[in-house]
Amino acid sequence: MHILNFFYVNKIAYCFYNINKETLKYEINTFEAEAVKLIFKMYLEDAGYTEIINELNRRGFKTKKGNSFGKNSLYDILRNERYCGVYVYNKCIHPDESGKFNRHATKSDDDIIRIEGGIPQIISKEDFEKVQEKMDERRRMTATFKA
C-alpha cells in the first residue's frame, strides 16, 4: 500500500490539503493554501505574529476546525516542511503510559521519514529555508534579552 493511501485510510487530513477520494492523493485546497502563502510572505516581510493573525482574520481564514489562527498555529505552519512538498512521517513520540501526548516532542532525525515531493508544494523550498533562518535568528535574539 502506498504511504499516502495508508494515511487516508487512517483518516489523517492535513490543513490546507484535501484528499482526492478517487486517487487517494493529497491535493492543495487553493483557498486555504492562500493562507499559507500569506503567512510565509508576511513573515518574510518582517510582520509579527499578531499582524499576520489580524490579516488572516480580516480575510476570513480559519483553521480546519473552524477556529481563528493563534500564535502556536502560526509557529507550527512556519516550521512545517510539508508546505514545501516534504511529506514527514514517524516524527512524533507516541503517548506515554498515562496516555499523555506531547506533539512537540519529536524523535531523532534518524527515525523520522522524509519524502521529498511526497505532498503537493504550496511554498518554495527557498522561502521555507529563509523563514527557518529568520525564526532561528529571532529565537537567538530574544534569548539574549532574557535574564
Side-chain angles (χ1 to χ4, degrees):
M1 181 183 334
H2 190 275
I3 193 165
L4 295 180
N5 295 356
F6 171 79
F7 284 100
Y8 176 70
V9 170
N10 285 291
K11 298 180 181 166
I12 295 174
Y14 290 125
C15 195
F16 313 112
Y17 293 97
N18 295 326
I19 299 172
N20 182 311
K21 292 182 181 179
E22 292 177 16
T23 64
L24 300 180
K25 292 186 178 183
Y26 287 102
E27 295 178 342
I28 295 172
N29 178 313
T30 52
F31 175 74
E32 293 176 358
E34 288 304 314
V36 174
K37 292 175 185 176
L38 179 65
I39 291 166
F40 276 85
K41 178 181 180 289
M42 289 183 71
Y43 191 84
L44 287 171
E45 293 171 349
D46 291 325
Y49 283 3
T50 303
E51 185 179 348
I52 296 170
I53 289 168
N54 289 341
E55 185 61 21
L56 290 168
N57 289 336
R58 189 184 72 72
R59 294 187 187 197
F61 290 113
K62 300 281 184 192
T63 65
K64 274 283 194 208
K65 293 181 180 180
N67 300 323
S68 296
F69 285 90
K71 292 180 180 182
N72 289 339
S73 54
L74 287 187
Y75 177 88
D76 290 345
I77 289 167
L78 290 168
R79 287 288 189 194
N80 200 318
E81 294 173 86
R82 85 173 61 121
Y83 302 119
C84 65
V86 179
Y87 189 88
V88 181
Y89 174 70
N90 199 40
K91 186 174 182 176
C92 294
I93 295 175
H94 295 288
D96 61 18
E97 300 80 35
S98 67
K100 292 186 179 178
F101 181 73
N102 179 355
R103 67 184 183 91
H104 293 289
T106 59
K107 296 180 181 179
S108 71
D109 272 349
D110 292 340
D111 293 330
I112 297 171
I113 299 166
R114 288 181 170 84
I115 303 170
E116 293 281 342
I119 194 162
Q121 182 177 350
I122 295 175
I123 58 144
S124 71
K125 185 83 166 173
E126 181 181 86
D127 282 350
F128 179 79
E129 289 171 359
K130 284 180 190 174
V131 165
Q132 302 319 297
E133 289 172 14
K134 187 173 243 179
M135 290 179 80
D136 292 343
E137 182 180 301
R138 284 184 177 178
R139 183 177 59 212
R140 282 190 299 273
M141 281 178 30
T142 57
T144 60
F145 295 112
K146 292 184 179 178

